[in-house]
Amino acid sequence: MSSDGLNRRKEVVNRNNDTNEENVSQEVSPERPQKQSIMKRVMSLMALSMAILVMVYYTTQTNDTKELVMASATQSITGPPIAQQVMCSQEDYTEDRVRFPSCAPQRCGRFVSDSVITESEAKHLLSVAKRGLSLGGSSGGASYLGLHNGRLSLATNYVNIYKLIESTPEKADVLTEKDLEVYGSVRNKVRKTIATHFGVPAAQLYVTTPSYFSRITTKRAMHKYEAYWRRHVDRHHIKSDHYTSVIYLSTYGADFSGGSFVFADEMSNHTIEPKLGRLVWYTSGSENEHFLERVTSGTRYALVMGFTCDPKFAATEPHIVRPHTCAQPFCCLYGV
């Protein structure tokens, strides 16, 4: 074979080899991008998961740093009250602002003071709570006594304390005229305080039912109403309430531990540590969602009073009837 023929044959072979390599390359190349795509997806999902974990971690850390004490038990708030203004709930007061334009909340917030209630008044109310609740008490850690409706916790239910006293004449001195006098005086102080700081007429504020004394211990809850630590909004439970007040009758760190009052705000929690005679008052809507921390030792006492602008929901006054006016035996004390 001539040299020219040999060269031509080599070119044909080379071209065939090149063609085969191209065919092989065309068959293999689709798999590589597919594997690369899968790897990219896996890496993206891992990166996203890590980002979420980091976000959750830093969010948790941030929330932990925003537990703020609004009022501690060691403070003495004897001048102007500690005040926080908050944005009113958009839906909680809409209708009542039309019905009670001069009374329903137009601006919302919360206040704390140690100078509205005197120490002697607070101690007297504590005595009332202890004497009244001594006739009953729930099976769990939270017990309640309402002077207006006479409702007293007993085991897993409620009884009427006035009927209980009526059937047990030796207990007639558990509640006295002096007790109701002190209670009434304190209630009027609280009503005027709420009216002053929220700019509403005191004459248009009415105490509601339930308004009650509470006693909280470390015993576990036996009834859903004893789960005092759940976050809640007062107005969602008692539709008539526009303003709420709490008078503390025992002191955090001295009489009990745990049991602080916490406003659960969107960006941070604001804690109030109870103190004998301390008064807290606030608008009752969603802007003041709150809860109590669990009591971990001792006994916590308080008096809660709700106020409404609607006279239809005003609580009837508790009162004592003198024995000589009674038509039936043991009817000298009752509440309605």
Side-chain angles (χ1 to χ4, degrees), residues 126-171:
L126 175 60
S127 174
V128 173
K130 287 182 174 180
R131 282 184 275 122
L133 287 163
S134 70
L135 296 185
S138 68
S139 299
S143 301
Y144 304 100
L145 166 64
L147 292 186
H148 293 278
N149 59 9
R151 203 174 190 196
L152 171 67
S153 297
L154 185 63
T156 58
N157 211 330
Y158 292 93
V159 296
N160 188 295
I161 190 173
Y162 300 110
K163 292 182 178 179
L164 188 61
I165 292 173
E166 182 179 324
S167 65
T168 316
E170 62 271 19
K171 299 292 185 180

Side-chain angles (χ1 to χ4, degrees), residues 180-197:
L180 300 186
E181 179 185 332
V182 172
Y183 174 79
S185 175
V186 168
R187 183 193 58 209
N188 289 335
K189 277 188 178 184
V190 173
R191 176 167 52 203
K192 290 176 181 177
T193 300
I194 291 173
T196 298
H197 288 88

Side-chain angles (χ1 to χ4, degrees), residues 23-90:
N23 289 338
V24 170
S25 177
Q26 289 175 358
E27 292 174 0
V28 173
S29 61
E31 295 180 1
R32 289 177 180 172
Q34 186 175 5
K35 290 180 179 178
Q36 291 176 352
S37 177
I38 292 173
M39 288 300 296
K40 286 180 179 178
R41 290 178 184 175
V42 171
M43 294 298 292
S44 297
L45 287 173
M46 290 177 64
L48 179 60
S49 298
M50 289 298 296
I52 291 173
L53 289 173
V54 169
M55 186 182 301
V56 170
Y57 173 81
Y58 280 107
T59 299
T60 304
Q61 295 301 308
T62 300
N63 286 342
D64 287 344
T65 62
K66 291 190 176 180
E67 294 287 339
L68 305 176
V69 177
M70 184 175 174
S72 72
T74 58
Q75 285 178 269
S76 183
I77 311 168
T78 56
I82 293 176
Q84 288 182 349
Q85 187 172 352
V86 294
M87 187 77 68
C88 288
S89 165
Q90 293 298 312

Side-chain angles (χ1 to χ4, degrees), residues 17-317:
N17 287 339
D18 291 342
T19 302
N20 290 337
E21 289 175 2
E22 289 174 3
N23 289 338
V24 170
S25 177
Q26 289 175 358
E27 292 174 0
V28 173
S29 61
E31 295 180 1
R32 289 177 180 172
Q34 186 175 5
K35 290 180 179 178
Q36 291 176 352
S37 177
I38 292 173
M39 288 300 296
K40 286 180 179 178
R41 290 178 184 175
V42 171
M43 294 298 292
S44 297
L45 287 173
M46 290 177 64
L48 179 60
S49 298
M50 289 298 296
I52 291 173
L53 289 173
V54 169
M55 186 182 301
V56 170
Y57 173 81
Y58 280 107
T59 299
T60 304
Q61 295 301 308
T62 300
N63 286 342
D64 287 344
T65 62
K66 291 190 176 180
E67 294 287 339
L68 305 176
V69 177
M70 184 175 174
S72 72
T74 58
Q75 285 178 269
S76 183
I77 311 168
T78 56
I82 293 176
Q84 288 182 349
Q85 187 172 352
V86 294
M87 187 77 68
C88 288
S89 165
Q90 293 298 312
E91 58 274 351
D92 284 343
Y93 308 113
T94 303
E95 293 182 8
D96 286 350
R97 283 173 177 168
V98 176
R99 297 175 60 205
F100 312 106
S102 61
C103 181
Q106 299 293 337
R107 54 187 177 87
C108 297
R110 75 260 317 218
F111 296 86
V112 187
S113 177
D114 295 333
S115 61
V116 177
I117 311 302
T118 68
E119 183 179 356
S120 62
E121 288 171 331
K123 287 182 176 179
H124 193 114
L125 292 174
L126 175 60
S127 174
V128 173
K130 287 182 174 180
R131 282 184 275 122
L133 287 163
S134 70
L135 296 185
S138 68
S139 299
S143 301
Y144 304 100
L145 166 64
L147 292 186
H148 293 278
N149 59 9
R151 203 174 190 196
L152 171 67
S153 297
L154 185 63
T156 58
N157 211 330
Y158 292 93
V159 296
N160 188 295
I161 190 173
Y162 300 110
K163 292 182 178 179
L164 188 61
I165 292 173
E166 182 179 324
S167 65
T168 316
E170 62 271 19
K171 299 292 185 180
D173 59 348
V174 167
L175 291 176
T176 67
E177 287 186 0
K178 179 63 176 179
D179 296 335
L180 300 186
E181 179 185 332
V182 172
Y183 174 79
S185 175
V186 168
R187 183 193 58 209
N188 289 335
K189 277 188 178 184
V190 173
R191 176 167 52 203
K192 290 176 181 177
T193 300
I194 291 173
T196 298
H197 288 88
F198 284 110
V200 301
Q204 294 182 22
L205 288 177
Y206 307 90
V207 70
T208 59
T209 300
S211 289
Y212 55 87
F213 291 94
S214 67
R215 181 184 69 195
I216 300 176
T217 68
T218 58
K219 293 170 64 176
R220 69 184 185 89
M222 302 297 291
H223 191 281
K224 63 180 180 179
Y225 295 114
E226 295 175 10
Y228 58 85
W229 57 85
R230 298 179 190 275
R231 288 173 58 150
H232 65 279
V233 174
D234 292 345
R235 190 162 165 78
H236 293 177
H237 291 281
I238 308 172
K239 300 294 185 182
S240 60
D241 276 10
H242 296 102
Y243 306 93
T244 306
S245 69
V246 184
I247 301 172
Y248 296 113
L249 304 178
S250 52
T251 300
Y252 170 87
D255 302 308
F256 62 92
S257 57
S260 289
F261 183 102
V262 183
F263 286 111
D265 296 330
E266 184 176 353
M267 300 302 294
S268 60
N269 288 342
H270 289 84
T271 299
I272 298 172
E273 295 175 353
K275 180 181 179 181
L276 177 70
R278 173 166 288 171
L279 172 66
V280 179
W281 66 101
Y282 54 92
T283 46
S284 305
S286 300
E287 69 281 349
N288 280 319
E289 184 177 17
H290 58 275
F291 64 92
L292 302 186
E293 295 178 342
R294 293 177 187 247
V295 171
T296 55
S297 68
T299 304
R300 179 191 192 274
Y301 286 93
L303 170 59
V304 179
M305 290 184 285
F307 291 86
T308 182
C309 299
D310 193 340
K312 291 192 305 183
F313 294 97
T316 305
E317 288 290 318

